[in-house]
Amino acid sequence: MRLQKFLARAGAASRRGSENLMTAGRVTVNGQVVTELGSKVDPACDVVAVDGRVVSWGASPTTIMLHKPAGFVTTMSDPHARATVADLVPTDRYPGLYPIGRLDADTTGLLLFSTDGELGHGLLHPRHHVEKTYWALVEGRLGPADVRALCDGVLLEDGRTAPARARVLAGVERDRAMACFAGPRPHTHAQARQRTRARKGRDANDSVVELVLTEGRKHQVKRMLAAVDHPVVSLHRETFGPLSLAGLARGAWRELSARETEALHRAVGGA
């Protein structure tokens, strides 16, 4: 069997992720580093390891949830030496982890990681209509016409968005969302201004909107709200499919339970 296929089947990483592990020199077979794609292994007798940890045939894939703070780039490595989400998750324990989708550096909230490439692909594929809930602090007061436009679909430069669900939050719901926007100690003047604005709600004319999408275009929430003339000040993702952060502290992660993993598979039409 091809080594990258073995790694993917064993739950070490997705097929593409397995290839990246090999070319980075992180995979050994019987103690020897193997970097050549297409190399063969015998699952019955060869010992395969990633970063020194033996990968067992038939091992269950791992999926975890992270409450991403602001200030971290959604990538597992960065050539510009910026802080990445890889700094926040247990890559030493699960070397094949990769993020399912991405959140902007200044966006907080629920980010999933998995070693299951098929699950990750399914959760992001538009045909499965997996919902994601975002809370956004925006400039100005969002009116009924703006809400209808978001629900009907907004024309962007790459086409009209799919219908969404949108509503303006008030009372306790608004307070809960505002608490999510308060980020860590700012490092720049721009971050300081954003943090102060998020804490105060800027003024009575700012709105907190909940937007539920089934698409995953680049910067989609920010572009949709800008298109209705309400630029985003702060953005947070609270749910992904059937999962919510459910009290997970900012910057913390946890492994999904078997029931939660099954719910994700059902969301993409699996057993």
Side-chain angles (χ1 to χ4, degrees):
M1 178 182 292
R2 289 191 174 190
L3 179 54
Q4 57 264 46
K5 183 176 181 180
F6 172 89
L7 291 168
R9 289 275 186 91
S14 65
R15 185 74 67 88
R16 178 63 61 84
S18 298
E19 293 175 353
N20 292 339
L21 290 174
M22 291 174 61
T23 56
R26 298 171 59 187
V27 179
T28 61
V29 178
N30 301 325
Q32 301 297 315
V33 174
V34 177
T35 59
E36 184 178 350
L37 299 180
S39 299
K40 300 292 185 67
V41 294
D42 183 346
C45 59
D46 288 328
V47 177
V48 179
V50 177
D51 294 336
R53 296 177 62 89
V54 175
V55 176
S56 301
W57 179 254
S60 299
T62 298
T63 303
I64 70 171
M65 172 195 302
L66 170 72
H67 186 161
K68 178 189 172 297
F72 290 82
V73 182
T74 304
T75 182
M76 300 307 283
S77 62
D78 184 71
H80 305 293
R82 293 174 295 181
T84 74
V85 293
D87 301 325
L88 303 172
V89 295
T91 54
D92 54 341
R93 191 183 312 177
Y94 309 115
L97 280 177
Y98 74 101
I100 298 176
R102 62 181 56 241
L103 294 175
D104 292 344
D106 60 351
T107 300
T108 64
L110 199 164
L111 184 62
L112 292 176
F113 294 75
S114 187
T115 60
D116 187 339
E118 291 184 8
L119 176 62
H121 176 75
L123 288 170
L124 297 177
H125 200 289
R127 76 167 178 267
H128 293 133
H129 306 291
V130 178
E131 293 186 342
K132 294 170 282 291
T133 302
Y134 296 87
W135 294 336
L137 173 65
V138 301
E139 295 181 5
R141 185 169 295 177
L142 210 72
D146 300 317
V147 173
R148 284 196 299 271
L150 294 170
C151 292
D152 293 340
V154 177
L155 184 61
L156 302 177
E157 61 272 17
D158 52 352
R160 185 172 295 278
T161 62
R165 300 204 307 276
R167 65 190 182 105
V168 177
L169 301 183
V172 174
E173 290 183 313
R174 176 187 169 99
D175 292 342
R176 182 184 173 202
M178 291 297 296
C180 295
F181 299 142
R185 184 177 298 277
H187 298 291
T188 67
H189 292 302
Q191 289 175 341
R193 288 195 300 271
Q194 178 174 324
R195 188 186 195 207
T196 299
R197 189 173 184 178
R199 281 181 168 178
K200 294 181 177 179
R202 193 172 72 99
D203 56 42
N205 288 322
D206 276 358
S207 300
V208 177
V209 58
E210 178 180 272
L211 198 58
V212 182
L213 306 180
T214 58
E215 293 182 298
R217 304 189 199 185
K218 188 174 182 179
H219 307 309
Q220 182 171 348
V221 175
K222 293 178 179 178
R223 291 193 293 147
M224 288 178 69
L225 288 162
V228 296
D229 297 322
H230 293 283
V232 170
V233 176
S234 293
L235 184 61
H236 173 84
R237 182 161 71 191
E238 180 64 13
T239 75
F240 193 129
L243 305 179
S244 71
L245 285 173
L248 186 66
R250 185 182 291 114
W253 66 271
R254 67 173 179 83
E255 191 171 344
L256 298 189
S257 67
R259 179 175 296 180
E260 289 172 323
T261 303
E262 290 170 4
L264 287 180
H265 282 283
R266 287 196 298 272
V268 297

